[in-house]
Amino acid sequence: MDHARVAQTVLQAVGGADNITAAAHCATRLRLVLQDEQLVDHAALDEDADIKGTFSAGGMFQVIVGPGDVDTVYEKLVKSGVREVSKDEAKQEGGKKSNPLVRLIKVLADVFVPILPALIAGGLMMALNNVLTAPGLFGPKPLVEMAPAITDVAAMINLFASAPFAFLPVLIGFSATKRFGGNPYLGAAMGAAMVMPALVNGWNVAAAVSDGSMTYWDLFGLQVAQAGYQGQVIPTLAVSFLLATIEKWLHRKLSGTVDFLVTPLVTMIVTGFLAFVIVGPATRILGDGITFGLQWLYDSTGFVGGLLFGLVYSPVVVTGLHQSFPAVELSLIAQGGSFIFPIASMANVAQGAATLAVFLCAGSGKLKGLAGASAASALMGITEPAIFGVNLRLRWPFFIAIGSAAVGGALVSIFNVKAIALGAAGLLGFVSISAPDIPMFLVSVLVTFAISFSVTFMYARSRGKQSILGTRVDETVEEEEAEREEELEREEQASILQQVPLSGAVDSTDFLVTAPLRGKLIDLADVKDPTFARGLLGPGAAIIPDGGAVVSPVNGEVIVAFPTGHAVGLRADSGVELLIHIGMDTVELKGKHFSSKVVKGQRVRRGEVLVVPDWDAISAAGYDLTTPIVVTNAAKYAKIEAAASGPVELGTELLEVVQKDPALA
């Protein structure tokens, strides 16, 4: 391969050095963060026989060059003026390029994944409670009045169902603060403060402000509303982000006992005042603006207003800013009927129908189970599990659903459907609709359901099939992306290992010790652990890893296989004994983040996988990833010499072991 030519081809095809914000590489791919991917000449890259393919992922344009060549092409590229960064830095740069809306959706999905079981259980119980308490389903009276013996059963079910939603800020506070890198227990404590019983219940804030019953704190003349945040999402996310940011800043500035005592105190006080003085009023003003703006649109623009209201209803629910709707609804009902409830029903049915389509298209597994339960909940009026657990994770079902809800909202406006009471905004919503409007309400529901279900089903069977197969609902988006990245890494590793000799024959004259992982080779003296740096365990070298598995550097036998997976001892067929210690002090992890693939006494070949570490998790836990490889019986040999420092790939020569002269032994 003409590496210089390939580098120039890539450089010209992606729009020149000025269009490359940052560049890195892994074992087989160039990873380029581009200012504008529209400038890429895909045809030029596809026609080059030395370029194996291209794709975009994680905000990076990736060019597949192949093992053994990519590092040289990368060097030529960097010499052309491209900014050189590490692989992790490239990921961060690529992440900054993503659409802010997409980033928000990722954050919402990551925050809600851990709390979905509580929301699903609450949603299904709330749907059951609606069946038990809604009039007109089994007769003119609710089931609890027709069978008084189950009244308290229904009351307890309602209590259980309401808890996850009433105390949602506590759940979100814990999960979001953890996601933002703060102490989750401080996040939960702040979430609890936001729903304290002494505050005006969040569901009643709009009404309390309207009728003048809102209570206020007097902070040096500043009137601060004592408003709760029940059911709020965006305000709680904002407060959690503030808390985590303040806490991390204080941890950097303070240390020891002072940090332990002062950081939680200051974090809670500052975040608490900001929550009620700034975040609360700002979100209330925003919520009121959305409510009255949508009301004006509906009243002034006819079916267009209904269409727009249906389009934005679910996104508003995602933020939690829909809590000001009930106060307006009650006023509209007093004047003859509310358009908000029937449009809300269209939006909820649309989300439920989309989730139901995902359920039918998903294979067996957690996504199918979650989609089935969430669809039932959404169709009954509780959409949070469907939205956060399924539709926002996949994205396209959410957008299909809001488009379908827009059609339903337009129909509600055209048919002038009005609600005369509040209730469950879903399939059971007809019991709250004015009797003459019930037929058109049901028609609107049917049309909305049919559009959302059929479009989602068709998309899921075609372009959406891959995303359904790749979504793991028990993982955050970051974990999911990391797992996909690891799959690519494993494919690259397999490609590299095909080039590494895997001879199983015993050869006592083979003194070659190759690199057991790829990364940056450094002198053993540069290792931070003095035991290795001073050569107390033997001479050798160390590698700062760049991902992937740890493989055997020799043909031989496993003589030590630590149950924690953090270290492996080998005896080569030549008699050279090696210790590979994965990271510094990683024995403290007690096996967490290590997957050992060998046992003591097992024969291994050069290139065979010994251990698969989760490098990102080990690093996140605060451990140095530097991995020494030392010869523990060096006294038997004349010299142990390491290769020159710099980048190393799997299978490249790492250590030269020189035998003693038999005449001098």
Side-chain angles (χ1 to χ4, degrees):
M1 177 186 290
D2 185 341
H3 299 102
R5 182 196 61 77
V6 173
Q8 281 302 116
T9 299
V10 171
L11 190 65
Q12 293 171 10
V14 299
D18 292 340
N19 194 40
I20 303 176
T21 304
H25 77 91
C26 56
T28 61
R29 289 170 277 147
L30 296 172
R31 299 176 177 227
L32 309 177
V33 182
L34 305 180
Q35 291 184 11
D36 184 2
E37 282 197 23
Q38 299 298 321
L39 299 179
V40 175
D41 184 351
H42 291 277
L45 295 171
D46 292 342
E47 290 170 2
D48 194 306
D50 289 324
I51 294 175
K52 312 299 189 296
T54 63
F55 65 96
S56 293
M60 293 179 286
F61 184 71
Q62 306 196 30
V63 182
I64 305 172
V65 178
D69 293 308
V70 67
D71 50 343
T72 308
V73 172
Y74 177 72
E75 288 176 8
K76 303 292 184 185
L77 201 63
V78 169
K79 289 179 181 178
S80 301
V82 175
R83 184 165 75 94
E84 181 180 12
V85 298
S86 69
K87 189 171 70 173
D88 289 338
E89 288 172 332
K91 286 181 182 179
Q92 292 173 3
E93 291 275 352
K96 294 175 184 176
K97 285 183 58 189
S98 60
N99 186 298
L101 176 61
V102 172
R103 291 206 300 269
L104 175 61
I105 289 174
K106 281 186 175 183
V107 170
L108 288 172
D110 286 350
V111 168
F112 275 85
V113 163
I115 64 178
L116 278 176
L119 297 184
I120 292 171
L124 292 175
M125 286 189 291
M126 201 167 284
L128 176 59
N129 179 68
N130 290 338
V131 171
L132 296 175
T133 58
L137 287 179
F138 303 99
K141 295 181 179 181
L143 195 58
V144 291
E145 292 185 18
M146 297 170 62
I150 65 170
T151 299
D152 288 340
V153 173
M156 292 184 70
I157 290 174
N158 184 51
L159 174 73
F160 306 149
S162 301
F165 300 97
F167 295 97
L168 188 60
V170 179
L171 301 176
I172 293 177
F174 185 96
S175 183
T177 303
K178 183 178 181 181
R179 168 65 174 77
F180 296 135
N183 186 320
Y185 297 97
L186 287 180
M190 183 53 62
M194 296 165 70
V195 291
M196 286 291 288
L199 303 172
V200 174
N201 190 289
W203 306 109
N204 302 325
V205 166
V209 172
S210 178
D211 63 22
S213 61
M214 173 62 73
T215 54
Y216 294 86
W217 288 296
D218 186 345
L219 300 181
F220 306 105
L222 178 65
Q223 298 296 301
V224 178
Q226 298 180 20
Y229 289 79
Q230 281 82 356
Q232 294 274 14
V233 176
I234 293 299
T236 313
L237 285 174
V239 169
S240 300
F241 178 78
L242 282 171
L243 185 145
T245 302
I246 293 168
E247 183 195 4
K248 288 187 290 185
W249 184 84
L250 288 170
H251 279 314
R252 289 196 299 269
K253 300 297 181 182
L254 305 175
S255 61
T257 304
V258 176
D259 180 30
F260 181 77
L261 295 175
V262 173
T263 295
L265 173 66
V266 174
T267 299
M268 288 290 289
I269 290 177
V270 174
T271 305
F273 275 96
L274 289 174
F276 287 99
V277 174
I278 297 177
V279 177
T283 53
R284 278 199 302 279
I285 291 170
L286 182 59
D288 291 343
I290 290 173
T291 301
F292 293 113
L294 291 173
Q295 185 179 355
W296 177 85
L297 273 175
Y298 189 88
D299 293 338
S300 305
T301 60
F303 80 92
V304 175
L307 183 147
L308 292 174
F309 200 170
L311 182 69
V312 302
Y313 185 84
S314 289
V316 171
V317 168
V318 168
T319 68
L321 297 176
H322 64 302
Q323 292 185 1
S324 55
F325 290 173
V328 178
E329 281 195 89
L330 291 173
S331 175
L332 292 173
I333 289 171
Q335 297 172 26
S338 168
F339 65 88
I340 296 177
F341 179 86
I343 292 180
S345 298
M346 300 303 121
N348 293 348
V349 166
Q351 294 293 338
T355 312
L356 181 62
V358 172
F359 165 74
L360 294 176
C361 294
S364 59
K366 292 183 178 179
L367 176 61
K368 190 176 187 70
L370 174 59
S374 300
S377 173
L379 292 171
M380 292 296 183
I382 310 300
T383 57
E384 281 83 356
I387 289 176
F388 293 113
V390 179
N391 295 350
L392 271 179
R393 287 301 300 272
L394 295 170
R395 300 181 200 168
W396 46 269
F398 181 77
F399 294 117
I400 291 172
I402 64 175
S404 305
V407 175
L411 292 175
V412 167
S413 178
I414 292 170
F415 297 138
N416 197 30
V417 176
K418 296 290 179 67
I420 56 173
L422 299 181
L427 293 180
L428 300 181
F430 70 89
V431 300
S432 299
I433 302 298
S434 174
D437 295 340
I438 290 178
M440 290 300 100
F441 173 83
L442 294 176
V443 168
S444 302
V445 166
L446 182 61
V447 171
T448 303
F449 181 95
I451 294 174
S452 183
F453 178 84
S454 59
V455 174
T456 305
F457 187 87
M458 288 187 291
Y459 193 94
R461 289 293 189 184
S462 54
R463 296 183 64 184
K465 183 183 294 185
Q466 203 61 38
S467 61
I468 286 180
L469 292 174
T471 296
R472 301 166 178 83
V473 296
D474 56 339
E475 297 177 346
T476 65
V477 174
E478 284 191 347
E479 290 170 339
E480 194 174 301
E481 290 179 346
E483 192 160 324
R484 289 173 182 165
E485 183 68 22
E486 286 177 8
E487 289 174 2
L488 279 173
E489 298 280 3
R490 284 194 289 270
E491 291 175 6
E492 293 173 357
Q493 186 116 349
S495 173
I496 295 169
L497 291 180
Q498 289 175 1
Q499 303 181 14
V500 179
L502 289 175
S503 171
V506 175
D507 183 358
S508 60
T509 63
D510 180 7
F511 288 90
L512 176 65
V513 178
T514 57
L517 68 164
R518 68 171 184 269
K520 180 182 178 182
L521 179 65
I522 63 173
D523 289 339
L524 197 61
D526 294 332
V527 175
K528 294 178 181 178
D529 187 326
T531 303
F532 288 103
R534 296 172 186 170
L536 300 181
L537 295 177
I543 296 175
I544 300 173
D546 190 24
V550 177
V551 305
S552 177
V554 295
N555 293 329
E557 179 186 356
V558 177
I559 56 175
V560 178
F562 286 86
T564 53
H566 78 287
V568 179
L570 302 170
R571 181 184 293 115
D573 292 338
S574 61
V576 176
E577 294 183 0
L578 300 167
L579 172 66
I580 304 173
H581 195 285
I582 305 169
M584 299 289 102
D585 300 319
T586 47
V587 65
E588 297 170 359
L589 289 170
K590 299 179 180 178
K592 190 176 182 182
H593 310 314
F594 293 94
S595 177
S596 180
K597 304 299 181 183
V598 293
V599 295
K600 182 179 179 180
Q602 179 178 335
R603 177 160 179 78
V604 291
R605 298 177 296 169
R606 180 178 287 117
E608 189 172 339
V609 175
L610 302 174
V611 181
V612 180
D614 185 340
W615 298 110
D616 289 337
I618 296 168
S619 178
Y623 291 88
D624 183 351
L625 301 182
T626 303
T627 299
I629 304 95
V630 299
V631 178
T632 55
N633 62 342
K636 292 184 176 181
Y637 302 97
K639 182 176 67 171
I640 310 293
E641 189 170 316
S645 298
V648 291
E649 296 290 343
L650 286 173
T652 57
E653 183 175 343
L654 181 75
L655 300 176
E656 180 186 0
V657 180
V658 179
Q659 288 181 286
K660 288 183 177 180
D661 187 336
L664 301 176

